[in-house]
Amino acid sequence: MNKLFFRNDYGEGAHPQILAKLVETNLEHTCGYGLDAYSEKAAALIREKCGKPEAAVHMMIGGTSANMISLSAFMRPYEAAIAAETGHINVHETGTVEGSGHKVCIAASKDGKVLPEGVQAVVNAHTDEHMVHPRVVYISQPTEIGTVYSLDELKALREVCDRNDLILFADGARLGSALTCSEATVTLKDMAELCDAFYIGGTKNGMLFGEALVIVNKALHKDFRFMIKNRGGMIAKGRLCGLMFLTALENDGYFDWARHANAMADIIRAGMEKGGVKQFIPTTTNQVFPVITREQEKMLEEKIEFEHWGDVDEDHVAIRFVTSWATTEEDANALADIMEAL
Amino acid sequence: MNKLFFRNDYGEGAHPQILAKLVETNLEHTCGYGLDAYSEKAAALIREKCGKPEAAVHMMIGGTSANMISLSAFMRPYEAAIAAETGHINVHETGTVEGSGHKVCIAASKDGKVLPEGVQAVVNAHTDEHMVHPRVVYISQPTEIGTVYSLDELKALREVCDRNDLILFADGARLGSALTCSEATVTLKDMAELCDAFYIGGTKNGMLFGEALVIVNKALHKDFRFMIKNRGGMIAKGRLCGLMFLTALENDGYFDWARHANAMADIIRAGMEKGGVKQFIPTTTNQVFPVITREQEKMLEEKIEFEHWGDVDEDHVAIRFVTSWATTEEDANALADIMEAL
Amino acid sequence: MNKLFFRNDYGEGAHPQILAKLVETNLEHTCGYGLDAYSEKAAALIREKCGKPEAAVHMMIGGTSANMISLSAFMRPYEAAIAAETGHINVHETGTVEGSGHKVCIAASKDGKVLPEGVQAVVNAHTDEHMVHPRVVYISQPTEIGTVYSLDELKALREVCDRNDLILFADGARLGSALTCSEATVTLKDMAELCDAFYIGGTKNGMLFGEALVIVNKALHKDFRFMIKNRGGMIAKGRLCGLMFLTALENDGYFDWARHANAMADIIRAGMEKGGVKQFIPTTTNQVFPVITREQEKMLEEKIEFEHWGDVDEDHVAIRFVTSWATTEEDANALADIMEAL
Amino acid sequence: MNKLFFRNDYGEGAHPQILAKLVETNLEHTCGYGLDAYSEKAAALIREKCGKPEAAVHMMIGGTSANMISLSAFMRPYEAAIAAETGHINVHETGTVEGSGHKVCIAASKDGKVLPEGVQAVVNAHTDEHMVHPRVVYISQPTEIGTVYSLDELKALREVCDRNDLILFADGARLGSALTCSEATVTLKDMAELCDAFYIGGTKNGMLFGEALVIVNKALHKDFRFMIKNRGGMIAKGRLCGLMFLTALENDGYFDWARHANAMADIIRAGMEKGGVKQFIPTTTNQVFPVITREQEKMLEEKIEFEHWGDVDEDHVAIRFVTSWATTEEDANALADIMEAL
């Protein structure tokens, strides 16, 4: 019997609608490098949905690449990013930001979310030319641990950025999940209104790959395509991203797929609650972090593919389940039953 | 009426067999980041076809990324690459190699091919620590202008590399075309035998994206996946490349598709010959460079999509036609007829 | 009346013996770039005093430059340094290490000293290619806050480095002070025996500029002069460093000057003790950190040049006094009296 | 008997007036890192002599460091410098410019001088985001081979820069020699008027080290001290440069010393002319390049320290004599006699 798959949200190919579109358009001839009509249409649609007719939209190949290229485009060599300790750029990108020359300064955070006072403290601590100059606040919406910034929290970050001439940049690798979860108070338009730049993640929400980077702040537009190419992030068949985002956004499938992922996670969370299994960090997005005993973990490993997240105490561990557009209700229910019976 | 498309070899999606495989496997769950069974099978098959059971094989997202990551993994900060003036890394990659810290030294070349004596001259000119230390010879097979290294030429480069402790690295963005053209004397096994590392290009031969990097020299293996990630070149759904290369190589479709592209170019070359249209650089691969008058160019632009290559003299220009797996015999014949009648 | 100067240990020119030597040799003709006989003699003397006849010795222009060049020579792009949160490379070098592409990971520390278990924890937390690979442990002897590693502490760090294949690198900007303070248990030979590389700081102990980098580990020797030049750290009149280190070390003036600086700080510490003024961090080297009230700080500012170090609580601040070879006993006594009377 | 020393212009210490000033001020206490009163006075004097009261002046430790830091401060990652093939940054700096991420594009040159039409050709050849974007024209005044730009030539470069939105940057490692040679038509004020930034070289004209960088273009001022520190070029005892430039410029010794060096070279050139020895490149600055036979070279090596410059033909070589503030008339005459008698 196959194990239930809750390891991640990039374990399959693409949403069938996406793949169908690629098959349908496969033999059409277009320009390369994202200058084709599909990419332009996708960009126009994104601008419209963001309510930002003058935003720059660029199709990036993946999250790490999008983060690194954006940050190195937005900063001069002595400038630094500010992130939570758990921030993806700080932990899980093998030093790409530093690799492009920039320090990542750690700001105090709560539940994976950067605190405005944490940002201010980092700014205050950097006083002269013997220290880096903090310039970009990097956040993830949702965070690496599945929590989401509320509208108020996002506005507070915008405010501390404005006060200190900082750029607010949001990693949206799982943006769909954040915008459609039960506690969501932030819309796509809010993201575009409050961030200088952010991206709409495709890889983890039904596409083969690709993130649509939206640069709202015009001061950051200049020569961005040079930066993409200079950092190795431009692919020849750029239309693929255009086609995939167009398909996902034209009928708001993008949001439906994310909503589905969240709903599947809700089923699991409900099972956990019935079974009295606690969450390490309570979430409403597509990542769930049960706290269980080591024995329970071993037992689950026989039936389920998931990730070990970390040790909680001598006896307990946190594990991670991730749902996606591809998670079936059947599988979610099966997992919920297992968790309830734990 | 649609124009005939001879602009490039990345203007369509993927070879139908490739796409079919993606559709077929779409809902399977696998590990991410290229650690899945398909990627491993593809790597094993490549090792076998190269006759190098201990080679490291990595799936890269594109040529520029593969070049930059390989060169920066192979060199220390003060070391430099040697390339032809027309070398892709020297002209068309927006300074990615320099962007990762390394100078590109220009060696004398003929017909786009680096000359061994040119390599030796660069080495001889760099004598102490006030100059960069040349370390990697970068070649393209075929070259950026469609010519191919013969087996003897490749052996001569290997020899100058051995004599000077240099690494020989081959950009194989169009490797299929080089290995299957009418004047080919180099096989895949020869590439693996003579180069320290090279890649088998997928983007320009039927895949959505992807190049299979083969690192034969074991001294260059260490921690290469760290380098891929550190430079932003690792994608979550790594299995896609594995699936695409597996499909292409299992029944040698990869070579058939390339052979087809070359054959289509041969049809065009034959038409040109009949019409007395000269080639700027005579080629046998999937790129053809007719020399025509400016008036002829204007006329062709109305019927054909192609690239202006450069000015030859006051009256003449060189243009470029590129064929691919997707070029139909009908289109090739149509273009041949046009060229014959020019 | 002039204020008493206790702001730093680089506020004057050079020790008179150093300057006399520069005057004496001024019109001699020598090779450039550190290849002259004086630089070679200085290097030989340093090797001898370190008991490491095969060590490589390089004259560096300053501490930040020495740190950055060493770390980037010792690491591959995805590798990272480990340092204390207060580490100079982490706080006061404007991101030069990151600027050369490497992350600085923070290890737990006590009194500014990196803890072996902190190093081990950083290593343990970095498990795969999605994270940087920790490679160099960066320490300062003495630390940025004036404390010193004991011989046992240094051995324990060596041990954790050996166990994890890490390089131990010591910033010795104030090494003289560490080796001659009252609690010193580490000798120059111990430094050479236990560190893979370290430097003997000149700038802060009587020279115009310059640090003598000692690379004991032969695996790190290769092409180091290329690295110095590549990173902008090689000066034409390299003999200056050679002459200065030769003068300082031939008769052990280097250690006498440092001992003097420590003795001057001891006078101040004695005055503080009599006056009941606490040290923020108790030290025996040439930096003293009194904890005083904000009012006291204002009062002192009228008579003394010093640095505000940080806030301790609502009412108290820590300030910093630094002594040097140039501090007179008269000035030290004057400051001690002031502190006693506070 | 000692050989005559004509190897370079950095083979001695400092001009005696410089050294005297360092001795005189040695025990004064000042701020570090170039924020002292001497550095400020020197900067003010330089602004005045340049006729640019709002220029930024920074003391740099050496030419390679000044070039690299300036170019990386002035450019974004995908931007490139334009230089002559013989340009110092292209040949003799171990790839520091590339090491900081930027390509050096080669423009056509004559007698070591970048041609305006060469600059234009480079600009024209770079048309889109697949290529670097040329941004800074790097020249040396005098050039690496001792020739000087005339006022008309400099104006023509300014003009091509204005036309293409390029920055004109001049390496002035030997600027004194260029401004005081017999064919000089460019003044210090002309340099400041026509260049966006340039430096007044100290290392090769009587100082221990140091170059005074003048950034005239205000758009390039921002945060430059951060850049100096970030790239490892800021030294603690920054006042040294201030003191040295102040001493050199207060009574125009800087120009007298350079004039002396040129005069000594003139003596050698006169001897060569009498002896019928040709110059490889005719110069009027402090570098002379005689063309002699291999036998003559061997013979000269026994009496003179000089550099082999390169092979001219099978029988002839070019060598280099360099004069400086430290060259005595006696030595110059002795060399002139030898050359006359060759």
Side-chain angles (χ1 to χ4, degrees):
Chain A
M1 197 200 80
N2 277 338
K3 290 185 187 178
L4 296 169
F5 186 86
F6 289 92
R7 178 175 296 284
N8 58 48
D9 38 12
Y10 44 83
E12 301 83 21
H15 191 281
Q17 291 179 33
I18 295 279
L19 218 42
K21 186 69 167 187
L22 295 186
V23 171
E24 174 196 328
T25 59
N26 190 46
L27 294 182
E28 293 181 19
H29 307 300
T30 60
C31 284
Y33 301 106
L35 298 175
D36 62 285
Y38 289 118
S39 296
E40 280 172 31
K41 259 175 102 168
L45 183 58
I46 288 169
R47 278 186 209 102
E48 187 195 315
K49 286 187 179 284
C50 288
K52 291 288 175 189
E54 302 194 344
V57 175
H58 298 281
M59 301 300 172
M60 312 299 284
I61 54 157
T64 297
S65 178
N67 290 337
M68 182 261 282
I69 295 172
S70 298
L71 293 182
S72 61
F74 299 165
M75 294 195 282
R76 297 187 68 200
Y78 57 88
E79 293 179 330
I82 297 176
E85 183 149 25
T86 47
H88 206 259
I89 57 168
N90 189 47
V91 184
H92 284 104
E93 302 190 353
T94 318
T96 52
V97 172
E98 293 87 355
S100 71
H102 303 281
K103 192 177 188 69
V104 178
C105 298
I106 303 309
S109 59
K110 190 164 183 304
D111 296 338
K113 293 184 270 185
V114 173
L115 294 168
E117 56 267 36
V119 171
Q120 190 62 55
V122 170
V123 169
N124 294 350
H126 289 82
T127 52
D128 63 40
E129 67 263 30
H130 295 271
M131 303 175 184
V132 293
H133 182 72
R135 183 74 175 111
V136 175
V137 174
Y138 165 93
I139 61 170
S140 299
Q141 174 76 318
T143 69
E144 289 74 16
I145 53 176
T147 54
V148 295
Y149 288 87
S150 70
L151 186 56
D152 283 346
E153 287 168 336
L154 205 58
K155 283 180 175 170
L157 282 175
R158 177 71 266 166
E159 205 267 328
V160 75
C161 286
D162 285 343
R163 210 162 55 225
N164 295 285
D165 191 24
L166 299 172
I167 292 163
L168 184 56
F169 175 76
D171 172 332
R174 293 188 172 100
L175 187 61
S177 183
L179 301 183
T180 60
C181 70
S182 59
E183 61 174 326
T185 53
V186 171
T187 65
L188 186 60
K189 283 189 175 159
D190 292 329
M191 291 298 294
E193 192 60 37
L194 294 167
C195 299
D196 292 282
F198 69 100
Y199 55 89
I200 305 170
T203 307
K204 292 173 177 171
N205 193 27
M207 305 187 196
L208 293 174
F209 63 92
E211 327 288 308
L213 175 66
V214 182
I215 309 180
V216 183
N217 183 339
K218 280 188 182 180
L220 306 176
H221 284 189
K222 189 159 188 267
D223 291 341
F224 199 84
R225 283 177 59 81
F226 281 85
M227 284 300 305
I228 301 176
K229 180 78 182 181
N230 173 264
R231 303 278 150 152
M234 191 176 281
I235 59 168
K237 296 182 179 175
R239 83 180 194 194
L240 298 173
C241 284
L243 282 161
M244 293 192 284
F245 272 99
L246 202 54
T247 306
L249 290 168
E250 265 177 345
N251 300 303
D252 285 337
Y254 182 84
F255 299 100
D256 295 338
W257 306 338
R259 206 171 282 118
H260 171 82
N262 291 341
M264 295 304 101
D266 287 340
I267 290 175
I268 301 166
R269 281 184 280 257
M272 284 166 58
E273 201 175 352
K274 283 188 208 160
V277 180
K278 291 218 172 107
Q279 294 185 58
F280 182 60
I281 312 124
T283 62
T284 61
T285 56
N286 72 324
Q287 298 186 86
V288 188
F289 300 85
V291 174
I292 56 177
T293 64
R294 286 174 203 280
E295 288 69 37
Q296 291 173 327
E297 186 181 28
K298 262 183 212 155
M299 190 266 283
L300 292 182
E301 274 167 0
E302 284 165 36
K303 305 181 191 168
I304 311 163
E305 281 199 54
F306 61 87
E307 274 197 12
H308 175 85
W309 194 250
D311 293 348
V312 174
D313 58 36
E314 218 157 294
D315 301 322
H316 294 83
V317 298
I319 62 170
R320 185 182 74 156
F321 298 139
V322 190
T323 58
S324 80
W325 59 271
T327 306
T328 62
E329 216 167 314
E330 190 190 339
D331 280 4
N333 282 322
L335 178 55
D337 289 347
I338 292 172
M339 295 309 286
E340 186 180 342
L342 212 62
Chain B
M1 196 201 77
N2 278 336
K3 291 184 187 180
L4 295 170
F5 186 86
F6 289 92
R7 180 174 293 286
N8 59 46
D9 37 13
Y10 44 81
E12 301 83 20
H15 191 281
Q17 290 179 33
I18 295 278
L19 219 42
K21 186 70 168 187
L22 295 186
V23 170
E24 175 196 327
T25 59
N26 190 45
L27 294 181
E28 293 181 18
H29 308 299
T30 59
C31 284
Y33 300 107
L35 297 176
D36 63 285
Y38 288 119
S39 295
E40 280 171 32
K41 257 175 102 168
L45 183 58
I46 288 168
R47 280 187 207 102
E48 186 196 315
K49 285 186 180 286
C50 288
K52 292 288 175 191
E54 302 194 344
V57 175
H58 298 281
M59 301 300 172
M60 312 298 286
I61 54 158
T64 297
S65 179
N67 290 336
M68 182 263 279
I69 294 172
S70 299
L71 293 181
S72 60
F74 299 165
M75 294 196 281
R76 296 187 67 200
Y78 57 88
E79 293 181 328
I82 298 176
E85 184 150 25
T86 48
H88 205 259
I89 57 167
N90 189 47
V91 185
H92 283 105
E93 303 190 353
T94 318
T96 52
V97 173
E98 292 88 355
S100 69
H102 303 281
K103 191 177 187 69
V104 178
C105 299
I106 303 308
S109 59
K110 189 164 184 304
D111 296 338
K113 292 183 272 185
V114 173
L115 294 168
E117 56 266 36
V119 171
Q120 189 63 55
V122 170
V123 170
N124 294 350
H126 289 81
T127 53
D128 61 41
E129 67 262 31
H130 295 271
M131 305 175 183
V132 293
H133 182 72
R135 183 73 175 112
V136 175
V137 175
Y138 165 93
I139 61 171
S140 299
Q141 174 76 319
T143 69
E144 288 72 18
I145 54 176
T147 54
V148 295
Y149 288 89
S150 71
L151 186 56
D152 283 347
E153 287 169 337
L154 205 58
K155 284 179 176 172
L157 282 174
R158 176 72 263 165
E159 205 267 329
V160 76
C161 286
D162 285 343
R163 211 162 55 225
N164 295 285
D165 191 23
L166 299 171
I167 292 163
L168 183 57
F169 175 77
D171 174 332
R174 293 186 173 100
L175 186 62
S177 183
L179 300 184
T180 60
C181 72
S182 60
E183 61 174 327
T185 54
V186 171
T187 64
L188 185 60
K189 284 189 176 160
D190 293 330
M191 292 297 294
E193 191 60 37
L194 294 167
C195 299
D196 291 283
F198 69 100
Y199 56 89
I200 304 170
T203 307
K204 292 172 178 172
N205 194 27
M207 304 186 196
L208 293 173
F209 63 91
E211 327 287 308
L213 175 66
V214 182
I215 310 180
V216 183
N217 183 340
K218 280 186 182 182
L220 306 176
H221 284 189
K222 190 160 187 266
D223 290 340
F224 199 83
R225 282 178 59 82
F226 280 86
M227 285 299 306
I228 301 176
K229 179 78 182 182
N230 174 262
R231 303 280 150 150
M234 191 176 281
I235 58 167
K237 297 182 179 176
R239 82 181 196 194
L240 298 172
C241 285
L243 282 161
M244 294 192 284
F245 272 99
L246 201 55
T247 306
L249 289 168
E250 264 177 345
N251 301 303
D252 284 337
Y254 183 84
F255 299 100
D256 294 339
W257 307 337
R259 206 171 280 116
H260 171 83
N262 290 341
M264 296 305 100
D266 287 339
I267 290 174
I268 301 165
R269 281 184 281 257
M272 284 166 57
E273 202 177 350
K274 284 191 208 157
V277 180
K278 290 220 174 106
Q279 295 185 58
F280 182 60
I281 311 125
T283 61
T284 61
T285 56
N286 72 323
Q287 297 186 86
V288 189
F289 300 86
V291 175
I292 57 178
T293 65
R294 289 173 199 281
E295 289 69 36
Q296 290 172 326
E297 187 181 28
K298 262 184 212 154
M299 190 267 283
L300 292 182
E301 276 167 358
E302 285 165 34
K303 304 180 192 169
I304 310 164
E305 281 199 57
F306 61 88
E307 274 198 12
H308 175 86
W309 194 250
D311 293 348
V312 173
D313 60 34
E314 217 158 295
D315 301 323
H316 294 83
V317 298
I319 62 170
R320 184 182 75 156
F321 297 140
V322 190
T323 58
S324 79
W325 59 273
T327 306
T328 61
E329 216 168 315
E330 190 188 339
D331 281 4
N333 283 323
L335 178 54
D337 289 349
I338 292 172
M339 295 309 287
E340 186 179 342
L342 213 63
Chain C
M1 197 201 77
N2 277 337
K3 290 185 188 179
L4 296 170
F5 186 86
F6 289 92
R7 179 175 294 285
N8 59 47
D9 37 13
Y10 45 82
E12 300 84 20
H15 191 282
Q17 290 179 32
I18 296 278
L19 219 42
K21 186 71 169 185
L22 294 186
V23 171
E24 175 196 327
T25 58
N26 190 46
L27 294 182
E28 293 181 18
H29 308 299
T30 58
C31 282
Y33 300 108
L35 297 176
D36 62 285
Y38 288 119
S39 296
E40 281 172 30
K41 257 176 103 169
L45 183 58
I46 288 168
R47 279 186 209 102
E48 187 195 315
K49 286 188 179 284
C50 288
K52 291 289 174 189
E54 302 194 343
V57 175
H58 297 280
M59 300 301 172
M60 312 299 285
I61 53 158
T64 297
S65 178
N67 290 337
M68 182 263 280
I69 295 172
S70 299
L71 293 182
S72 61
F74 299 165
M75 294 195 282
R76 298 186 67 200
Y78 57 88
E79 293 180 329
I82 297 176
E85 183 149 25
T86 47
H88 206 259
I89 57 169
N90 189 47
V91 184
H92 283 105
E93 302 190 353
T94 318
T96 52
V97 173
E98 292 88 356
S100 71
H102 303 281
K103 190 177 189 70
V104 178
C105 298
I106 303 309
S109 59
K110 188 164 183 305
D111 296 337
K113 293 184 271 185
V114 172
L115 293 169
E117 57 266 36
V119 171
Q120 189 63 55
V122 170
V123 169
N124 294 350
H126 289 82
T127 52
D128 62 41
E129 67 263 30
H130 295 270
M131 305 174 184
V132 293
H133 183 71
R135 183 74 175 111
V136 175
V137 174
Y138 165 93
I139 61 170
S140 300
Q141 173 77 318
T143 68
E144 289 72 17
I145 53 176
T147 53
V148 295
Y149 288 89
S150 70
L151 186 56
D152 283 347
E153 287 169 338
L154 205 58
K155 283 180 176 172
L157 282 174
R158 176 73 265 167
E159 205 265 330
V160 76
C161 286
D162 285 343
R163 210 162 56 225
N164 295 286
D165 192 24
L166 299 171
I167 292 164
L168 183 57
F169 175 77
D171 172 332
R174 294 187 172 100
L175 186 62
S177 183
L179 300 184
T180 60
C181 71
S182 60
E183 62 174 326
T185 52
V186 171
T187 64
L188 186 59
K189 283 189 176 161
D190 292 331
M191 291 298 293
E193 191 60 36
L194 294 167
C195 298
D196 292 283
F198 69 100
Y199 57 89
I200 304 170
T203 306
K204 292 173 177 170
N205 193 27
M207 305 187 195
L208 293 173
F209 63 92
E211 327 287 309
L213 176 66
V214 182
I215 310 180
V216 183
N217 183 340
K218 281 186 180 180
L220 306 176
H221 284 189
K222 190 159 189 264
D223 290 340
F224 199 84
R225 282 178 59 83
F226 281 85
M227 284 300 305
I228 301 176
K229 179 78 181 183
N230 174 263
R231 302 279 151 151
M234 192 177 280
I235 59 168
K237 297 181 180 176
R239 82 181 195 194
L240 299 173
C241 285
L243 281 161
M244 294 192 282
F245 272 98
L246 202 54
T247 305
L249 289 169
E250 264 178 345
N251 301 303
D252 285 337
Y254 182 83
F255 299 100
D256 295 338
W257 307 338
R259 208 171 280 119
H260 171 83
N262 290 342
M264 295 304 100
D266 286 340
I267 291 174
I268 300 166
R269 280 184 281 256
M272 284 166 58
E273 203 175 349
K274 284 188 207 159
V277 180
K278 291 220 173 104
Q279 295 186 57
F280 182 60
I281 312 126
T283 62
T284 61
T285 57
N286 72 325
Q287 298 186 86
V288 190
F289 301 85
V291 175
I292 56 177
T293 65
R294 287 173 202 281
E295 290 67 38
Q296 291 172 326
E297 186 181 29
K298 265 184 210 153
M299 189 267 282
L300 292 183
E301 275 167 359
E302 284 165 35
K303 305 180 190 167
I304 311 164
E305 281 199 55
F306 62 87
E307 274 197 12
H308 175 86
W309 195 250
D311 294 347
V312 173
D313 59 34
E314 218 157 293
D315 301 323
H316 294 84
V317 297
I319 62 170
R320 185 182 75 155
F321 298 139
V322 191
T323 58
S324 79
W325 58 272
T327 306
T328 61
E329 217 167 314
E330 190 189 339
D331 280 5
N333 282 324
L335 178 54
D337 289 348
I338 293 171
M339 295 309 286
E340 187 179 340
L342 213 63
Chain D
M1 196 199 79
N2 277 338
K3 291 184 186 179
L4 295 169
F5 186 86
F6 289 92
R7 179 174 294 285
N8 58 48
D9 38 12
Y10 45 82
E12 301 84 22
H15 191 281
Q17 290 178 32
I18 296 278
L19 219 42
K21 187 69 168 187
L22 295 186
V23 171
E24 176 195 327
T25 58
N26 190 46
L27 294 182
E28 292 181 17
H29 307 299
T30 59
C31 284
Y33 301 106
L35 297 176
D36 62 285
Y38 289 119
S39 295
E40 279 171 32
K41 258 176 102 169
L45 184 57
I46 287 169
R47 279 186 208 101
E48 186 196 315
K49 285 188 179 285
C50 288
K52 290 290 176 190
E54 302 194 344
V57 175
H58 297 282
M59 300 301 172
M60 312 299 284
I61 54 158
T64 297
S65 178
N67 290 337
M68 182 262 281
I69 295 172
S70 298
L71 293 181
S72 60
F74 299 166
M75 295 195 280
R76 295 186 69 201
Y78 57 89
E79 293 180 329
I82 298 176
E85 183 149 25
T86 47
H88 206 259
I89 56 167
N90 190 46
V91 184
H92 283 106
E93 302 189 353
T94 318
T96 53
V97 173
E98 292 88 353
S100 70
H102 303 281
K103 191 177 188 69
V104 178
C105 298
I106 303 308
S109 59
K110 189 165 182 302
D111 296 338
K113 292 183 272 184
V114 172
L115 293 169
E117 56 267 36
V119 171
Q120 189 63 54
V122 170
V123 169
N124 294 350
H126 289 81
T127 52
D128 62 41
E129 68 263 31
H130 295 271
M131 305 174 184
V132 293
H133 182 72
R135 183 72 175 112
V136 175
V137 175
Y138 165 93
I139 62 170
S140 300
Q141 174 76 319
T143 68
E144 288 73 15
I145 53 177
T147 54
V148 295
Y149 288 89
S150 70
L151 187 56
D152 284 348
E153 287 168 337
L154 205 57
K155 283 180 175 170
L157 282 175
R158 176 73 265 165
E159 205 266 328
V160 75
C161 285
D162 284 343
R163 210 162 54 226
N164 295 285
D165 190 25
L166 299 172
I167 292 163
L168 183 56
F169 175 76
D171 173 333
R174 294 187 172 98
L175 186 62
S177 183
L179 300 183
T180 60
C181 71
S182 60
E183 62 174 326
T185 53
V186 171
T187 65
L188 185 60
K189 283 188 175 160
D190 292 330
M191 291 298 294
E193 191 61 36
L194 294 167
C195 299
D196 292 283
F198 69 100
Y199 56 89
I200 305 170
T203 307
K204 292 173 177 171
N205 193 27
M207 304 187 197
L208 293 174
F209 64 92
E211 327 287 309
L213 175 66
V214 183
I215 309 180
V216 182
N217 182 340
K218 280 187 182 180
L220 307 176
H221 284 190
K222 189 160 188 264
D223 289 341
F224 199 83
R225 282 178 59 83
F226 280 86
M227 285 300 305
I228 301 176
K229 180 79 182 182
N230 175 263
R231 303 279 150 153
M234 191 175 281
I235 59 168
K237 297 182 179 175
R239 81 180 195 196
L240 298 174
C241 285
L243 281 162
M244 295 192 283
F245 272 99
L246 201 54
T247 306
L249 289 168
E250 265 178 343
N251 301 304
D252 284 338
Y254 182 85
F255 299 99
D256 295 338
W257 308 337
R259 208 172 279 117
H260 171 83
N262 290 342
M264 295 305 100
D266 287 340
I267 290 175
I268 301 166
R269 282 184 281 258
M272 284 166 57
E273 202 175 352
K274 285 189 206 157
V277 180
K278 290 218 173 107
Q279 295 184 58
F280 182 60
I281 312 125
T283 62
T284 61
T285 56
N286 72 324
Q287 297 185 87
V288 189
F289 300 85
V291 175
I292 57 178
T293 64
R294 288 174 202 279
E295 289 70 37
Q296 291 173 326
E297 186 181 28
K298 265 184 211 153
M299 191 266 283
L300 292 182
E301 276 167 359
E302 285 165 34
K303 304 181 192 169
I304 311 164
E305 281 199 56
F306 61 87
E307 273 197 13
H308 175 85
W309 195 249
D311 294 347
V312 174
D313 59 34
E314 218 158 295
D315 300 324
H316 294 82
V317 297
I319 61 169
R320 184 181 76 155
F321 298 139
V322 190
T323 58
S324 79
W325 58 273
T327 307
T328 61
E329 216 168 315
E330 191 189 339
D331 280 4
N333 282 325
L335 178 54
D337 289 348
I338 292 172
M339 295 309 287
E340 186 178 343
L342 212 63

